[in-house]
Amino acid sequence: ARRVLLAAPRSFCAGVERAIELVERLLSERGGPVYVRKPVVHNAHVAAELRSRGVVFVEELTEVPHGATVVFSSHGVSPAVRVAARRRGLEVIDATCPLVERLHAEARRAAEEGGTVIVVGHAGNEEVDGILGEAPGRIALVQSVEEARHVPVADPSRVSYVIQTTLSVHETAEVVDALRARFPMLKGPSSEDVCYATTNRQNAVRVIAVESELVLVVGSKSSPNAHQLVEIARRSGSAAHLVEDPRDIQPHWLTEVRTIGVTAGASTPPPLVNSVIRALGGLGPVTVEKRESVRETSG
Ligand code: F3S
């Protein structure tokens, strides 16, 4: 039989679980439509499920009728969005993850003290957009080592940074090193400020990848953190593929493969992982072993 190594922790983080619970509670207490700004979670299956039950996903608040209720997703929003919601008379249910909220508070505080705040992250990411909105003009985005070397700052002795929660720990370290080389007085978070769920999932995929010939990461193509897990598995020496669901598994991937690692990003619901494991069982006998790298208890 083939061995399936199941990474732990994997799937939903506490922040995403909480956001989905909030939306589900609204649906059951009030019925649809429930307006949600931005995907509540980057997973096509979850989104389709919620849509069928009355959730309407919008990109911007102008799509929400005056006076209606809107949910802000776990990625957080910029202050301008909160103002716009108030102007529109919307009732806001805020599902921003407390860890993202902490980055906003950090950025706000640093900007108030003067100096430049740098957000290490990816352009266009919802979480990053929200944080950049905290202090327009005093917050800069840095996406790479190259950008770290050139980002303009007002006073090099007063620069601080925050990090997008879903970046890979590896990728971040290089950018922060480049910033520190330029700004010796750089202020930034201690390691426990990096999202524990992202860190744990990245460590867990490394643990299974070194033992596996193939790693399947269950997640949506739109999920940045699922892509990160694929990258990390490859860097650890295994072949790796992102699968949205069992239909994406290509049987030829499994040729001559004895050990398959399975994990899922923080936006993937656990039942989807189970269906992938069942599908692997359909392609030949398997034994499933769990590899727990760290016990995840709280958010
Ligand atoms: Fe929050 Fe981290 Fe999840 S920031 S939403 S716990 S990935």
Side-chain angles (χ1 to χ4, degrees):
R2 281 196 189 99
R3 287 199 310 161
V4 170
L5 302 182
L6 197 51
R10 62 180 177 278
S11 289
F12 281 174
C13 59
V16 162
E17 224 162 47
R18 175 170 162 271
I20 292 178
E21 269 166 28
L22 279 175
V23 173
E24 289 188 331
R25 200 176 323 138
L26 276 175
L27 280 173
S28 63
E29 282 171 6
R30 309 186 188 175
V34 168
Y35 295 89
V36 178
R37 183 182 177 277
K38 303 284 177 183
V40 67
V41 37
H42 288 133
N43 186 277
H45 287 264
V46 177
E49 222 298 273
L50 291 174
R51 236 180 240 122
S52 75
R53 291 164 59 193
V55 170
V56 179
F57 291 104
V58 300
E59 277 302 302
E60 287 313 331
L61 297 183
T62 45
E63 299 163 57
V64 183
H66 285 268
T69 301
V70 67
V71 179
F72 292 160
S73 74
S74 56
H75 315 281
V77 300
S78 76
V81 172
R82 292 185 194 279
V83 172
R86 225 171 293 133
R87 286 217 185 99
R88 232 176 145 72
L90 303 179
E91 181 196 7
V92 168
I93 309 279
D94 191 354
T96 302
C97 175
L99 298 182
V100 174
E101 196 46 63
R102 199 152 78 187
L103 296 188
H104 280 254
E106 275 285 319
R108 227 166 17 235
R109 196 187 44 78
E112 271 160 23
E113 284 174 1
T116 306
V117 185
I118 288 169
V119 180
V120 181
H122 293 310
N125 175 279
E126 287 137 32
E127 178 187 324
V128 167
D129 286 347
I131 300 168
L132 290 174
E134 283 293 345
R138 272 172 298 160
I139 304 194
L141 172 65
V142 163
Q143 306 187 71
S144 63
V145 170
E146 194 46 34
E147 289 183 13
R149 293 199 182 115
H150 300 289
V151 60
V153 303
D155 176 354
S157 69
R158 293 203 297 174
V159 181
S160 59
Y161 70 93
V162 296
I163 301 171
Q164 179 187 332
T165 56
T166 45
L167 286 193
S168 93
V169 177
H170 165 91
E171 167 180 31
T172 314
E174 288 178 351
V175 175
V176 172
D177 285 349
L179 288 172
R180 190 160 287 121
R182 228 183 115 195
F183 312 116
M185 320 257 291
L186 183 71
K187 280 200 231 142
S190 53
S191 62
E192 66 265 27
D193 277 334
V194 175
C195 168
Y196 75 94
T198 302
T199 313
N200 289 352
R201 278 154 191 68
Q202 292 179 0
N203 289 336
V205 75
R206 221 170 272 126
V207 168
I208 57 163
V210 293
E211 278 191 73
S212 306
E213 295 138 281
L214 170 70
V215 169
L216 299 181
V217 177
V218 190
S220 270
K221 299 198 172 57
S222 62
S223 162
N225 79 73
H227 284 286
Q228 299 277 14
L229 295 178
V230 171
E231 273 309 303
I232 291 170
R234 287 184 184 149
R235 230 180 288 132
S236 308
S238 171
H241 299 286
L242 185 67
V243 292
E244 294 245 8
D245 58 40
R247 285 171 303 181
D248 283 349
I249 301 172
Q250 307 206 8
H252 73 86
W253 292 343
L254 275 55
T255 318
E256 316 241 332
V257 165
R258 308 298 311 160
T259 307
I260 307 170
V262 174
T263 189
S267 45
T268 306
L272 215 47
V273 180
N274 297 339
S275 68
V276 164
I277 293 170
R278 272 197 305 276
L280 288 174
L283 295 168
V286 293
T287 58
V288 180
E289 296 167 36
K290 197 161 148 191
R291 283 280 184 280
E292 188 156 29
S293 63
V294 56
R295 193 167 294 255
E296 195 167 83
T297 45
S298 80

